[in-house]
């Protein structure tokens, strides 16, 4: 066969294969551009730690914002101490919890363990943040203070150790930025999807979308029970841990 | 049967059912406390936006850190402009990309669209951040600038609109805190798990662990192709967008 | 130092490290044994394809079971043909749909494309099974009949091609065993979790827990809209496809 | 203003709003039709329980297929008994395991507990199927035999109870159709995605894509350790449980 014929044949085969390899019909850029509904505009805070315009400020440093948004377990006004723009656990007065109940949320909260170091392991600067009254993100002074890995600051208590120990020194303010997805339940009360946490501590990822095994349990294996929205709870574990700049956004 | 017998029988049945309801054996607290391995200690930055001790600082504001960590698409030194502690797109010089290639990462990056407003929709302050060279988080000036919802700032371009539009004004610095999970592929090249993004813009959640449909496509429907680690790329879209304080942590 | 001292020191260090490596307290087998509530007893069918005792039989081969459980789109009795223990699409009479509406289900259904081969690609033995009135598992004769991969038998139509083409010959009965998870929506109507399908065709896995992009669309990109339970629908696509032995279990 | 003007204005406003509501550009059906690559053709078995053409038949009822595909834990030929087309546990001879190691698979396996009922709870007809040598799907005679719910037939042993107890009578053959996804690990050995099981027992869903907490543990809380592919193991628990028609497909 002459060279030109060979070329013709090759081109012909190539065309056939082009025909057989059926690409989907070519689209235009505008076909993947969705304009509506318009995305809701929110004004951010001056700093990332500041509440944006759509947040509920749960505590702004004033006694008034504490009593407006929180109660003790008995339903009365919280007995914790407000001073210097923060609220501090008053030992033995019990937890404080939000009047409002929440589901999925973004939560910003700042906390400080006592500058004076007393105790060790779980005994040093212990408190905790419970989402929906059940799922605890641990607050603890773990600066040069070893404890069980799934019980230290940044842990989902007794379920997930933090990815890193990024604690500041005692007496320094620390931040948690929390993305929380509430569990869902089926009509028969069994679990559909578990609770999930993503947590940044001092700007560093410590929990990456972990799926909880159930409510926080000090003893034994967690087990889900169906529930609806729940309060945010701050724990009185007997140590004068302080909190400030608490804001929450419903997701 | 006499009433007393009936009561006795009822109580008896009740006791039997109590015996039958076998609770798991009671545990002790220490059984759910895991100490080892010790969680790695990381020193946080002074502010959440500051690089922690385990981060790679990709740009610290100096020309030296730009040339040390980035190249143009041609492999040569980046031609973007470094001044006043930030690096600015030099129109027409093309993208810049990190020398190092990454998989799962936490990325902090700050960006600023031009104070002088020119253009509209996609024409105003357009740039972009590509994870692994393929998956774009949009950078755009959407302050009073409507565009398609899945193409505005905070969007995973043409895939997921941001949850809210939390843009600052033109000329103001904004932050992205990004948690990125690389896709995984099976041995035959098909997708095992998709790429995922969680993004906070100016401290506000705009992407909540979304699962990407494939690499970013300007035209058409995305489709995954297997790949390994990839560079972080900043886009030259012709507008003088600036970046600063870029740090990354391998997850 | 004398050798004996060295040994003593080594042993000492070893003991110290043993003390430091704190294992969680030893458990007993009974601590992870959960007895209650008792798992519900279900009587299986004689063969895996036969309805178990907790299934709703939607069609047992008799005209009575068709009219008891199904209606046409207009709400009247179905006009499809029942004969020889199966029901066959009557061209142009429209879909049939269950009176009952469902959420999460396991569905067993058997289908047969016409023994006489007419047409090609989408024109041959075309029908479809819609879960919740919206999400289509394709029914088509793909025995030696090429069509677009995401539109062939076993595909989630225009979203997911089947893992393999495991079609039987025209005129032979085939089985689908379907595990379907309904999508969930948030209170604002946005998507919480997508619809998911696992499908066995003729005993072979063709869909492995795929997450749907939205309702089935012949044209364009799917988009979720919030909805509640929905009917199971069988499609009239103009071809005399037959169905039999249809049973469903609520999950 | 006159009525006609009002109408004109209203119409005008309506048109404006129509213009503002920018729908994405209309697509054509062919744009979402993907033809390549062609889906691999597999020939199904005559019945859904029969091996399809792409399966590896691990045991077909003959002694030859047992010795060809399986060994004891010591690496020697299995000492279990082959008769009447099935293989039966020979008490005290230990497990048998496949020579080939697997990752993600679809597995079909049939099993029978002894017709003669001896013992109760975990003592009756006990065996087990371990995927990748670590993750056990329980085999047990739970026909009128109560045991702990997370240890009965169809359970992922000590992790997930079956959705229903769909056991056949002692001496009757039962089927498991298993879809197994192997866990993936990160480079540092930590877990990326957990092992997952979907299981049909006698055609009825008993496990719906559950995510394992770690390898099966008789005592204590499971914990993942990184591993590669692993053998399929059948357990010798001292009871003469029989198996037949075992085939597996790599996913």
């Amino acid at each position: 066969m002459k060279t030109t014929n060979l070329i013709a044949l090759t081109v012909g085969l190539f065309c056939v294969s082009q025909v057989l390899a059926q690409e989907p019909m070519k689209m235009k850029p505008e076909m993947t551009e969705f304009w509506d509904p318009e995305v809701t505009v929110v004004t951010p805070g001056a700093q990332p730690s500041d509440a944006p315009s759509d947040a509920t400020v749960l505590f702004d440093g004033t006694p008034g914002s504490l009593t407006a948004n929180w109660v003790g377990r008995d339903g009365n006004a919280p007995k914790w101490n407000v001073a210097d723009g923060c609220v501090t656990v008053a030992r033995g007065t019990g937890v404080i919890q939000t009047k409002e109940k929440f589901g999925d949320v973004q939560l910003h909260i700042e906390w400080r363990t006592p500058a004076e170091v007393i105790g060790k392991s779980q005994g040093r600067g212990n408190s905790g943040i419970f989402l929906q009254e059940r799922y605890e993100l641990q607050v603890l002074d773990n600066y040069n203070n070893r404890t069980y890995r799934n019980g230290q600051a940044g842990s989902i208590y007794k379920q997930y150790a933090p990815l890193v120990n990024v604690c500041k020194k005692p007496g320094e303010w620390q931040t948690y930025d929390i993305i929380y997805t509430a569990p869902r339940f089926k009509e028969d009360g069994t679990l559909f999807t578990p609770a999930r946490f993503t947590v940044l501590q001092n700007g560093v990822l410590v929990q990456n979308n972990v799926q909880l095994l159930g409510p926080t349990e000090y003893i034994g294996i967690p087990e889900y029970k169906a529930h609806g929205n729940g309060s945010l709870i701050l724990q009185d574990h007997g140590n004068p841990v302080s909190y400030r700049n608490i804001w929450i956004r419903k997701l």
Side-chain angles (χ1 to χ4, degrees), chain A:
Chain A
M1 166 188 328
K2 289 192 298 183
T3 303
T4 48
N5 284 2
L6 182 61
I7 289 171
L9 180 63
T10 306
V11 170
L13 284 171
F14 180 75
C15 291
V16 166
S17 100
Q18 286 302 301
V19 170
L20 288 178
Q22 303 184 46
E23 291 289 315
M25 186 183 286
K26 192 82 178 170
M27 291 175 60
K28 292 189 182 301
E30 295 82 357
M31 291 170 173
T32 49
E33 296 171 1
F34 292 83
W35 288 73
D36 292 301
E38 185 175 355
V39 176
T40 303
V41 174
V42 168
T43 305
Q47 300 299 321
S49 293
D50 297 337
S53 61
D54 66 345
T56 299
V57 177
L58 292 173
F59 179 63
D60 67 3
T62 66
S65 77
L66 188 74
T67 53
N69 295 294
W70 301 78
V71 290
R73 187 59 70 91
D74 57 7
N76 293 326
K79 297 189 180 64
W80 292 16
N81 303 310
V82 178
D84 300 327
C86 66
V87 57
T88 301
V89 175
R91 181 179 180 145
T93 61
V95 308
I96 65 172
Q97 61 185 58
T98 58
K99 295 180 181 175
E100 190 169 357
K101 294 175 185 295
F102 300 97
D104 304 336
V105 294
Q106 176 183 359
L107 172 65
H108 176 87
I109 188 166
E110 303 180 14
W111 53 280
R112 184 185 64 188
T113 59
E116 186 188 3
V117 171
I118 300 173
K120 63 171 189 172
S121 188
Q122 295 286 314
R124 182 183 298 177
N126 193 330
S127 182
I129 300 163
F130 287 78
L131 276 288
Q132 295 198 306
E133 307 167 21
R134 288 160 181 85
Y135 309 101
E136 184 187 17
L137 173 62
Q138 175 71 307
V139 170
L140 195 69
D141 172 7
N142 283 109
Y143 187 84
N144 289 333
N145 177 37
R146 184 89 191 273
T147 190
Y148 40 95
R149 54 187 275 112
N150 60 344
Q152 67 186 61
S155 69
I156 305 303
Y157 187 68
K158 292 213 166 178
Q159 298 195 28
Y160 290 98
L163 295 170
V164 291
N165 176 348
V166 67
C167 283
K168 292 197 167 187
K169 295 179 183 170
E172 296 186 1
W173 283 100
Q174 309 199 46
T175 63
Y176 276 154
D177 287 282
I178 302 163
I179 302 160
Y180 173 74
T181 304
R184 262 66 168 179
F185 299 90
K186 304 190 72 155
E187 284 178 20
D188 65 1
T190 58
L191 184 68
F192 177 65
T193 48
R196 290 186 283 132
F197 271 91
T198 292
V199 182
L200 298 169
Q201 181 182 355
N202 301 319
V204 175
L205 186 72
V206 291
Q207 297 291 347
N208 190 359
N209 197 38
V210 292
Q211 301 184 30
L212 272 66
L213 307 175
T216 300
E217 296 289 355
Y218 176 55
I219 298 176
I221 294 171
E223 197 173 6
Y224 277 104
K225 286 196 175 60
H227 64 83
N229 284 350
S231 295
L232 179 69
I233 293 182
L234 302 181
Q235 189 184 37
D236 169 13
H237 205 283
N239 302 134
V241 172
S242 302
Y243 293 94
R244 72 176 186 191
N245 191 21
I246 309 174
W247 51 264
I248 200 165
R249 300 175 60 243
K250 295 176 192 170
L251 297 179

